[in-house]
Amino acid sequence: MKKLTALFLAVLMTLALGACSSGGNASNPGANTGSAPAAPEGAKEVTVGLIQLMEHPSLDEIRGAITARLEEKAAENGLTVKVNYQNGQGDTSTINTICQQFVANKVDVIVAIATPAAQGAATAAQGSGIPVVFSAVTDPVDAGLVESLEAPGGNITGTSDAIPVEKIFALARELTPEVKSYGLIYNTSEDNSLSVIAQVKTYLDGQQISYTDGAVTTSADVQTSARNLLGQCDAIFAPIDNTVASAMAVLADEAIQAKKPVYVAADSMVADGGLATVGVNYTNLGSQTADMVLKILTGTPAGEIPVEVLRDNAIVINGNTARAIGVDISKYGPNDADIVSAVN
Ligand code: TRP
């Protein structure tokens, strides 16, 4: 028996927006601009350079969880933690500049949210002695960040959001068994997406389900690509792609108009109108990332801490989208729910 919980979209959105973090300083990203609480007697003051690829609900949720946990646990670890948050604006050269300034300003640790941010941080920190903790990197080995998950080596470790591809497509088969072709929408420059798409193609080949690639370079391309794919395919699958996630509402609107399902790889993309996913909890992922940061700040070398891959996942379905396109989700939750979340 699956445990069913119906959540209102508002609750999800509130969680997604999460706790706020200290402000950044665009002109000098390495500067200590965070407002730290009064230092307890003897606490060591440390600065965390926090870089986030771009702002979209899931990455914002992760950042909120990281900063909340750091704040909660700093004192008991004998630390006063200042967080200097910078937004990479989805742009590689902006990311590189921010990370180079973190290094120049000798932050104590760099925390990087999402794969392209982590890649920029790893490059900038090389040889500097500054540890890097990545957060929500789907495939850290493929992304060239670590040699192995168990023994990262170098001065880097972090958390990974494994995508349960087979579970997502098993759910898709149950909800929409008539689907015989998928449009795959993703940015080919995101290694996180490429890793998931490779698994998806292998899986679909095995099921004799056809697929068409729909590449996007920026979020502005999502609408055209979505229309194109919806014209040719029975359904769309979007991997854990930051570019698509930042235009998810546009993709969802197009699919609802075409009355076709969009399966996605993150709960935030369901909250933004996608039909369904099976995915991890990004608040937990953020908290785990912060715990690794604290471990490093209290003396454990980053390269000796195994990457933590989140394996617990939940089914998440958008009830409004299901009603709009005529998909029966009654097996999973109440007919009138906005968002249905069921333990997988
Ligand atoms: N896993 C993604 C990466 O490696 C980052 C990510 C986290 C993400 N949550 C997401 C991407 C939700 C899209 C939607 O870059």
Side-chain angles (χ1 to χ4, degrees), residues 53 56 58-59 62 113-116 135-139 161 163 190 192 239-243 245 265-266 268-269 282:
L53 169 66
H56 66 66
S58 189
L59 302 189
I62 295 165
I113 304 174
T115 301
S135 191
V137 168
T138 300
D139 193 332
D161 49 348
I163 307 302
E190 290 195 32
N192 37 297
I240 193 80
D241 188 282
N242 294 286
T243 311
S268 65
M269 297 167 89
Y282 285 97

Side-chain angles (χ1 to χ4, degrees), residues 113-144:
I113 304 174
T115 301
Q119 290 168 324
T123 304
Q126 219 154 39
S128 70
I130 298 174
V132 173
V133 180
F134 54 78
S135 191
V137 168
T138 300
D139 193 332
V141 177
D142 259 23

Side-chain angles (χ1 to χ4, degrees), residues 83-162:
V83 177
N84 177 359
Y85 163 58
Q86 298 296 327
N87 174 1
Q89 316 284 355
D91 178 66
T92 310
S93 67
T94 306
I95 291 167
N96 291 342
T97 305
I98 291 168
C99 293
Q100 283 155 11
Q101 294 201 24
F102 282 158
V103 171
N105 285 287
K106 298 190 168 55
V107 298
D108 294 281
V109 56
I110 298 176
V111 178
I113 304 174
T115 301
Q119 290 168 324
T123 304
Q126 219 154 39
S128 70
I130 298 174
V132 173
V133 180
F134 54 78
S135 191
V137 168
T138 300
D139 193 332
V141 177
D142 259 23
L145 293 169
V146 297
E147 282 151 33
S148 80
L149 299 177
E150 301 72 32
N155 204 3
I156 184 165
T157 189
T159 54
S160 172
D161 49 348

